[in-house]
Amino acid sequence: MAQFIISAFADEVSDNLDAQIAALARNGLRCIEPRNIAGGIIDKSDEELSDIHAGLERAGITLSALGSPIGKFSIDGDFDAYLETFRRAVAACKILGTPRMRMFSFFVPQERLKECRPEVLRRLRILLEEAEEEGILLCHENESNIYGQNPREVADLFCELPGLRGVFDAANYVMNDQDPIAGIEATLPQLEYLHMK
């Protein structure tokens, strides 16, 4: 029988680290995917990230992944400048001691999907190459208004980018009038973990 590790976005309780730890303890959870702890997780200094890591370790809490916003960025934005944000997220993974980063595949106007596809793939290849050099797995979540909003696009990403791992979020498919069964089928070949709401 399969066994699952249950992790949480504890910032939905509070943005305070102690309150997040207390909520995890109340619910018998020992794993977190940090996104927001008194501000965005990738906006923290090295010292702040080290303090967060130490606080989680003291509480016996491990990290399942970094809940980064990477890829929630316009396909028309300056990607070269955005690479610095991505590199900061990679550094945060390393300081926090997690080999996984949850991320997305760029906001794309839905009427320009075909036109923008090559640029989405180009950017993701660059991110994957840099992440792999640092020992970080990039885990793509299906999300609204990105290239990867529907199962067909998700399957395309995983076909073109074998190093990319998948995060399946059924609710995001439902919100976009997409079939979550088709979504899990598209994600299963590279499934890393799934979200439940």
Side-chain angles (χ1 to χ4, degrees):
M1 176 179 280
Q3 293 187 340
F4 294 90
I5 295 170
I6 300 177
S7 181
F9 288 128
D11 60 4
E12 295 187 358
V13 171
S14 170
D15 73 347
N16 176 273
L17 179 60
D18 291 337
Q20 290 185 25
I21 290 170
L24 291 168
R26 280 194 309 274
N27 290 281
L29 299 174
R30 311 301 302 167
C31 200
I32 188 174
E33 183 173 333
R35 294 181 300 194
N36 181 338
I37 299 176
I41 195 73
I42 67 172
D43 298 325
K44 302 293 178 200
S45 68
D46 288 1
E47 182 179 5
E48 289 170 319
L49 290 170
S50 294
D51 289 346
I52 289 167
H53 184 241
L56 293 170
E57 272 198 330
R58 280 194 300 274
I61 295 170
T62 59
L63 278 75
S64 56
L66 180 76
S68 90
I70 293 299
K72 285 192 170 187
F73 181 74
S74 172
I75 196 67
D76 296 318
D78 182 347
F79 180 62
D80 290 335
Y82 192 65
L83 275 173
E84 293 308 311
T85 302
F86 172 72
R87 290 168 185 149
R88 183 64 200 148
V90 169
C93 286
K94 297 182 86 169
I95 294 167
L96 292 168
T98 179
R100 294 182 193 89
M101 181 194 305
R102 186 276 311 257
M103 46 78 70
F104 306 89
S105 52
F106 304 101
F107 292 127
V108 175
Q110 295 303 290
E111 69 278 7
R112 293 174 53 209
L113 284 174
K114 186 174 180 180
E115 169 197 340
C116 292
R117 177 183 178 272
E119 180 62 11
V120 168
L121 294 174
R122 184 189 78 83
R123 291 179 178 198
L124 290 176
R125 284 189 182 101
I126 292 168
L127 298 185
L128 279 165
E129 182 177 325
E130 291 203 11
E132 286 168 3
E133 287 176 3
E134 297 294 336
I136 303 299
L137 283 175
L138 296 187
C139 303
H140 177 272
E141 178 183 344
N142 57 287
E143 174 65 283
S144 301
N145 301 314
I146 65 170
Y147 189 89
Q149 172 176 282
N150 65 51
R152 180 185 51 77
E153 293 160 15
V154 167
D156 181 41
L157 290 174
F158 293 145
C159 179
E160 294 289 333
L161 305 164
L164 189 64
R165 305 299 299 164
V167 179
F168 171 71
D169 190 319
N172 285 351
Y173 281 126
V174 171
M175 285 173 50
N176 289 293
D177 297 320
Q178 300 294 319
D179 179 6
I181 301 301
I184 191 69
E185 288 171 351
T187 309
L188 274 176
Q190 284 163 250
L191 180 68
E192 189 70 16
Y193 63 100
L194 51 86
H195 283 172
M196 299 181 70
K197 297 175 181 173

